[in-house]
Amino acid sequence: MNHPGSEPSATSVSSLPRISRRHALIGLAALLAQAGFWSNPLSAAMQAPASAPAPGLAPATMLFYTLSQTITGHRDLSAATAARIEQAMRSNVPGFADHLPRLGALLVTGQEAKALLAAATAADAGLRELALAIVAAWYTGTVAGNAAQGTKSIVVAYAEALMYRTVADGQVVPTYCNYGPLWWLKAPPAVRVSAPVAPKPVPAPATTGTPETKGKQAK
């Protein structure tokens, strides 16, 4: 057991869940991006209102949902997507069940993402890695796997991936669908009968009659 102010032992550090360097960088980049964006006073009016969590969420899922809102800086996350990400992380992130309540204990009302990350870093390296893994999962829509542990990456969301919000004002979510991702889920357009189209008049030929033969023209 580590006392406050003491360095974690080699045994405890080796047992901590590890995420790939790529996903750690994604998590850090996402945190820096959202911190810089929301620090702009002009962006205050653009913040979406907090969405009401879906009823019937398990306490652990509700904790993960609240953590996700804080660490990503987005209050309008989907509770259903949060439940799927949590389930995927339980299977792909070693020690997730033990670290989740410890990370949740660091939550403070009105806390910003960078403050939660700083508290997690000061408390335990494993909590910092879990916080970054949560950010990476929300921004990429994927929970990374680990080949050494026999787990594969799990794609949880595509159009909901937060990385697409950054450029949503100038670029749609990349897709081969003509009308955007999941366009078939929307109601089809109303059936209407178009008015009959009058045929266009055919212009008269440039010449009329039968052209004379070359012999007659020469005479």
Side-chain angles (χ1 to χ4, degrees):
M1 178 176 180
N2 297 323
H3 297 282
S6 64
E7 295 293 331
S9 64
T11 303
S12 62
V13 171
S14 62
S15 63
L16 296 176
R18 296 294 178 185
I19 60 175
S20 67
R21 182 180 179 183
R22 174 177 176 271
H23 280 78
L25 291 175
I26 290 174
L28 281 173
L31 282 172
L32 291 174
Q34 71 93 7
F37 178 76
W38 295 122
S39 63
N40 186 344
L42 296 178
S43 66
M46 299 174 60
Q47 297 192 40
S51 59
L57 287 179
T61 303
M62 187 64 212
L63 174 60
F64 180 81
Y65 179 69
T66 305
L67 275 170
S68 297
Q69 289 179 312
T70 302
I71 198 63
T72 64
H74 293 277
R75 308 299 299 178
D76 58 338
L77 299 177
S78 166
T81 302
R84 293 196 296 269
I85 293 178
E86 182 214 1
Q87 183 179 6
M89 296 192 77
R90 286 187 181 276
S91 62
N92 277 19
V93 180
F96 178 85
D98 295 330
H99 285 79
L100 180 64
R102 294 177 57 196
L103 183 60
L106 302 177
L107 281 172
V108 179
T109 303
Q111 190 177 34
E112 295 184 358
K114 57 185 178 181
L116 177 57
L117 182 62
T121 302
D124 193 322
L127 299 185
R128 171 186 170 84
E129 289 194 358
L130 177 58
L132 294 178
I134 293 174
V135 174
W138 276 104
Y139 269 81
T140 63
T142 303
V143 177
N146 190 318
Q149 298 171 355
T151 58
K152 296 182 179 180
S153 297
I154 302 174
V155 178
V156 179
Y158 179 67
E160 290 184 68
L162 296 180
M163 61 181 176
Y164 295 122
R165 291 194 184 186
T166 308
V167 293
D169 59 339
Q171 178 180 342
V172 298
V173 178
T175 175
Y176 289 105
C177 300
N178 292 335
Y179 301 101
L182 305 178
W183 62 270
W184 57 86
L185 297 180
K186 300 179 182 179
V191 178
R192 293 179 295 178
V193 179
S194 60
V197 179
K200 295 182 179 180
V202 179
T207 59
T208 58
T210 304
E212 295 182 355
T213 61
K214 292 183 178 180
K216 292 183 178 181
Q217 291 177 353
K219 294 179 180 179

